[in-house]
Amino acid sequence: MTMAEPDSSQQAMPTTPLELTDVTKRYGETTALDLEGATLAFRPGEFHGLVGPNGSGKTTLFRLLTGLSRPTSGTLERGEATVGYSFQEPRFYPSLTARENLEVFRGFVGDPPPDSWIETLLEELRLEPAAHRRADELSGGFRKKLDLSLALVKRPQFLLLDEPLADVDDHSRRRIRAFLESYQSGTIEGGRGDESALEPNSGDRTVVISTHNVDAFESALDRVTVLVDGTLRADGEPEADVVEQYRNALE
Amino acid sequence: MDLLALLSKEAIAVRRNLGLVVVLLILIPGALAGGTVVFEQTIPQDVPVGLVAEGDASSDEVDITRAGITAFSTPETYDSSEEATEALQREEVYIVVHVPGDLMEPGSEANYTVTSDRAFVPFEEPVNESAGVIESEFDSSLPADVAVESEGIGEERSLSEFLVPTGLFAFVALYGLVYLPYQLHSERLVLDRLQTESRLETVVASKLLFYGLLLVVPVGVITAVTSWLGYSVAAFSPMALGVVALTFVLLASTGLAVLFLLKLRKTALFVNLGLTLGVFALSSLVYPVGFFSSTQTTISRALPTHYSAITLRSALLRDTPPSVYADYLLWLAGSAGVSLIVLLLTIALYRRRR
């Protein structure tokens, strides 16, 4: 991975948080998320862990934040921030290659990052071997990495990742973790020596990781939110032992 | 034991996919069986037939003729030959009987003329049959010596040529009602991601636009093949392309609306297949309305696809100006517009239910 010194001349405009207040989401009689009486914010510049066991409402929360679902009640502030979403089950055009998928989704962006950003993603996420293969023929790990790349292709201010390390091999896991940390801190080069493609060091990028494996990103977290059965059990700075903090919240 | 375990798995799968099973095993067979009520007879009794007085024929003579042909047709009277011919070209009627005068004069010669449209090839035999029936019935029951002459309007056509617009219509129906929804269904997983970048309406519009424009290819292929075969069909005429486009929008929007209404489930594809069968069976594509029953007339004339078939046939086989079909084209365009609105409503509903 190539790191670059922050470039203060390219500071982006400060971003407002993604914020949910008193939000609930019900599907028929089932309550998937109940944040009644609570405010949950994802602040600019943080590496935020959203942890909880299966079925705790993490994916529902991401669907609300990305506008894929509407809250049953409560308010949701999104502002004008760009949001990238990597799904728990990868979402891409099955009949296109990995590279074609990236190029198509880059086309949705009004002011897209330079071409070299796609090369950076392919390289950093070790997707190059799969770049010219049909997406529906990829293995689970490559599918996951392609989905992650698609979430990153517009270089969003908020990056929401649902179980980003699922199905991914150990070596790729380490690379992904390091890449996401440098993405959040804004120290990634455009890729392949293209100096013009140096990405702006916004300093306010937010990465939200939804996982039930809290230890995977333990050292990177600036904030931890614990959801259990759709309710908020904990929200704050990580303690020295995040795994223990999570266990305590579960009990 | 293996067999029992596998059978039990199939039973569970059926329970899990109840919607699909209901459509496949109950609704489609039910509709196939129920649809047979439309096909009552094989000798036409309700085919619309035009009546027009010729020369000094009185209204009484027209009424006598009307009474005589009611047994095997549904007569419709026209004031002039031109009006009746236009009705023939619009397939409002499938033959026109020109009523002569002096029917009640003993010994006088009364010559009926039965006109048909040569573009409607499958009805040629029934027209000859009708002419024979008119001659024998009227000659024996009327005082005058009755003779019947048959004539056709338009260019002589073969059955092969007649089937070209029918085939084109069938292709557009399959393409719009089955293929496009199938194509979107196969990409259903990416729709979530697309919704984070764009609007579902834009996604659907892009598909309608792209696959609609792509229809130029099959139309071109049909033109090339029929030209090679020596047929004289105008598949690339503006009217033909317009009708193909409107029919595609109508059917593709309907198929996609069903898909969104059923939450992009596979069941929707089978519902659309059933709809396609219904369109083929009830739009009177090959036989005249009323050929099989009066119910068939009512149903066909209520379906916009019936007017697609007529206008497509006319565009490809008849040398008739599009203005003759203005109301049909308007009805088709209106139906396409309504199906688009319904599609937008089902997309909104789909989004709300997420």
Side-chain angles (χ1 to χ4, degrees), chain A residues 60-117:
Chain A
T60 301
L61 183 60
F62 274 4
R63 292 186 66 84
L64 293 172
L65 290 171
T66 49
L68 286 172
S69 295
R70 296 174 183 195
T72 307
S73 63
T75 55
L76 197 158
E77 296 287 335
R78 272 190 58 173
E80 296 298 313
T82 52
V83 178
Y85 183 18
S86 175
F87 292 78
Q88 189 169 19
E89 189 185 346
R91 303 283 204 245
F92 43 66
Y93 281 112
S95 59
L96 302 189
T97 65
R99 180 182 286 280
E100 285 165 346
N101 264 289
L102 287 165
E103 284 164 356
V104 166
F105 280 97
R106 181 175 175 271
F108 285 109
V109 188
D111 181 20
D115 287 343
S116 58
W117 179 239

Side-chain angles (χ1 to χ4, degrees), chain B residues 20-52:
Chain B
L20 176 62
V21 172
V22 166
V23 170
L24 192 64
L25 301 184
I26 297 174
L27 293 183
I28 291 183
L32 286 174
T36 56
V37 298
V38 172
F39 302 94
E40 288 172 0
Q41 67 241 352
T42 52
I43 296 171
Q45 291 173 19
D46 299 293
V47 172
V49 166
L51 282 179
V52 63

